[in-house]
Amino acid sequence: MLEKNREFDIEGVIEEFEALTKEAGRVQRETLRRILEENGQAEYLQNLGLGGRTDPETFKACVPLVTHKDLEPYIKRIADGDASPILTGKPVTSISLSSGTTQGKRKLLLFNEELVHSTMQIYRLSFALRNREFPIRNGKALQFIYSSKQLKTKGDLIAATATTNVYRSEQFKSTMKDIQSQCCSPDAVIFGSDFNQSLYCHLLCGLIYSNEVQFISSTFAHSIVHAFRTFEQVWEDLCTDVREGVLSSRITVPSIRESVSRLLSPNPDLADTIYKKCVGLSNWYGVIPELWPNAKYVYGIMTGSMEPYLKKLRHYAGNLPLISAEYGSSEGWIGTSVDPRLPPESTTFAVLPDIGYFEFIPLRENPREQELERSASTIHYAESEPVSLTEVKVGEEYEIIITNFAGLYRYRLGDVVKVAGFHNSTPKLKFICRRGLLLTVNIDKNTEKDLQLSVEEATKLLAAEKLELVDFTSYVDMSTDPGHYVIFWELNADASDDVLHSCCDCLDRAFVDAGYVSSRKVQAIGALELRVVERGTFQKILDHYLCLGAAVSQFKTPRCVGTSNSEVLQILCTNATKSYFSTAYG
């Protein structure tokens, strides 16, 4: 029997977290002091007149709120080779690239050892909290993780996604070993140059170690769903590989082929078992626990833009619990779930008070916005002065401001969260939406969450016809007069015109924002349009981002495609096969 890993002190990690969160206010002041002392020589801070002071009051008085646009000139200088202390006291060794799927443009951010350290800290804490509820033995994890292409900046710094920078660190491997989360696949698969070949080999390695796998994970829920959609297509080839002990000829990348071939030997008994289990499944329901009988849960980021994939993920996971991973972004980490048993839709995240310095802008929607015509690209809130971590109020919504050890000072993250409660004296946050407005034509304002709710309502009509929505996105078409919303759908099979007409009307009616409804009634916004795209269209969008150097581990389907994202819009429009206009408002 596998012995439990004795090196990792689970209770010690949890006790430290409890102590930190009981004194969140003091810890926050200490964390700010450390950040400012370590980076006090940075040009950016020197020019703001802090004079060596590190107290929150002076910091807020001297340092302005900023967005990424404000910091771009400084980051560009660093990327171009300026080694002087510009944003941080210590030299910058690498650059992180955001996925670019949110705004259509990849952001450059600084990456340093402090971020690696904070990542390992939150990984260890998250594991400790999970393991208290769902204990695992010392085995392996089927992890669908992938690196991105590495670029070199003009100043010869390595630029890659934040996840790739983490995976390449020595701390990552040792931490994964400590928390019993060693990947089934060799490094060559994780860092392979061909995503499809890496995915195939992740699945194969998972099958080879099927009895040792303790949980299944990826950065995002989307990646797990994508992996098992692929499994449906290639499972018989995987069985052949296991049976014959010879890797499929589809694997052509030498490093991947060599490393995975070393794990293979003929195993007809395992191949027969896999084959019998697969043919015995009903529409692949419960494939994960069927093939990985010792798995305790499925793990990944499942909140926000990942929620639309939960239905399909639950289908594959059967009775296994879905556990939502930590809350963070390319800019840095924020918090972790202290109650892993909660379903992803109810998950909240307790802020780690020593991982950064946090402020919160209280947000209340401006009631006059319902009456005013505007063309801005963000929801207009009535903003108050930022408050500290311990001053937030339960039930209120806020925008997060982050100050961290990697050159971000009073940085507006753009995430809107609601305070659901407190864990000791640190708040538990529920992600609401991105601050950037998703859809607007006139006085309407619909966020990603509004779009998601509308799509959920309309897909009930699909479910009644045994049809499934593979993925979706949206676009505001201002080339018509008046402008109108366009929703793109990819389905798993053909649907009748009657069903899609009904879905289109349902989508239109399900947007309940008062500005939208009133504008539709007077034809100030045109009829909503539903465009059905060919199967495989969203795979083409993923491939497009991969070609740009993004990593699947960081990929999120853009829920609203702006005009600046012309390549993705072109993919959608050229693959549209049917179009329907709503008659919901006559």
Side-chain angles (χ1 to χ4, degrees), residues 10 229 506 514:
I10 289 175
R229 286 191 194 277
C506 184

Side-chain angles (χ1 to χ4, degrees), residues 116 135 198 288 388 455:
V116 176
S198 289
I288 295 175
S388 71
V455 169

Side-chain angles (χ1 to χ4, degrees), residues 151-417:
L151 310 173
K152 279 290 186 81
T153 69
K154 191 184 295 185
D156 208 34
L157 293 177
I158 292 174
T161 60
T163 48
T164 298
N165 284 327
V166 168
Y167 298 154
R168 289 193 178 278
S169 71
E170 285 301 315
Q171 289 187 52
F172 177 73
K173 286 183 182 179
S174 61
T175 298
M176 291 301 102
K177 185 176 182 180
D178 286 349
I179 65 175
Q180 308 163 45
S181 304
Q182 292 182 89
C183 187
C184 292
S185 306
D187 284 355
V189 175
I190 297 170
F191 298 108
S193 58
D194 185 296
F195 158 66
N196 292 309
Q197 293 186 40
S198 289
L199 170 52
Y200 184 91
C201 289
H202 275 317
L203 290 166
L204 180 59
C205 294
L207 292 172
I208 293 170
Y209 295 109
S210 56
N211 285 326
E212 296 181 48
V213 169
Q214 298 292 298
F215 65 91
I216 285 81
S217 74
S218 189
T219 307
F220 290 117
H222 168 270
S223 298
I224 306 174
V225 170
H226 183 81
F228 284 98
R229 286 191 194 277
T230 302
F231 183 82
E232 291 184 38
Q233 308 301 318
V234 302
W235 70 276
E236 290 180 286
D237 292 341
L238 291 164
C239 278
T240 300
D241 292 1
V242 172
R243 184 182 308 282
E244 298 177 356
V246 178
L247 187 57
S248 166
S249 60
R250 74 176 69 208
I251 308 304
T252 58
V253 176
S255 59
I256 299 178
R257 188 165 188 89
E258 181 183 348
S259 62
V260 177
S261 292
R262 284 200 293 264
L263 303 178
L264 273 174
S265 59
N267 195 336
D269 290 342
L270 177 58
D272 286 343
T273 300
I274 295 166
Y275 188 89
K276 288 173 183 175
K277 287 182 175 182
C278 287
V279 296
L281 292 169
S282 175
N283 195 28
W284 299 101
Y285 176 81
V287 61
I288 295 175
E290 189 67 26
L291 294 181
W292 292 277
N294 294 314
K296 307 299 188 300
Y297 51 81
V298 178
Y299 180 68
I301 295 172
M302 300 184 187
T303 52
S305 60
M306 292 300 114
E307 285 188 22
Y309 304 108
L310 293 181
K311 182 179 179 181
K312 189 64 174 177
L313 186 53
R314 285 193 170 102
H315 181 84
Y316 289 133
N319 59 358
L320 283 183
L322 305 184
I323 302 180
S324 195
E326 309 83 7
Y327 175 26
S329 64
S330 297
E331 287 85 352
W333 293 105
I334 297 163
T336 190
S337 171
V338 292
D339 188 356
R341 288 191 177 275
L342 284 175
E345 296 90 341
S346 304
T347 296
T348 60
F349 303 93
V351 179
L352 273 65
D354 65 333
I355 214 161
Y357 182 73
F358 300 98
E359 299 170 73
F360 298 83
I361 302 175
L363 301 176
R364 289 181 178 82
E365 288 191 30
N366 191 334
R368 293 194 62 214
E369 286 303 325
Q370 298 294 352
E371 305 163 17
L372 299 177
E373 183 171 339
R374 58 187 169 76
S375 58
S377 60
T378 57
I379 295 178
H380 283 216
Y381 286 96
E383 294 184 357
S384 304
E385 283 297 306
V387 298
S388 71
L389 181 74
T390 56
E391 292 174 326
V392 295
K393 296 178 180 177
V394 174
E396 297 294 316
E397 291 187 5
Y398 299 87
E399 180 186 351
I400 299 176
I401 304 168
I402 186 171
T403 296
N404 68 11
F405 292 91
L408 299 181
Y409 309 100
R410 306 198 80 197
Y411 180 94
R412 298 182 72 144
L413 196 59
D415 285 2
V416 177
V417 297

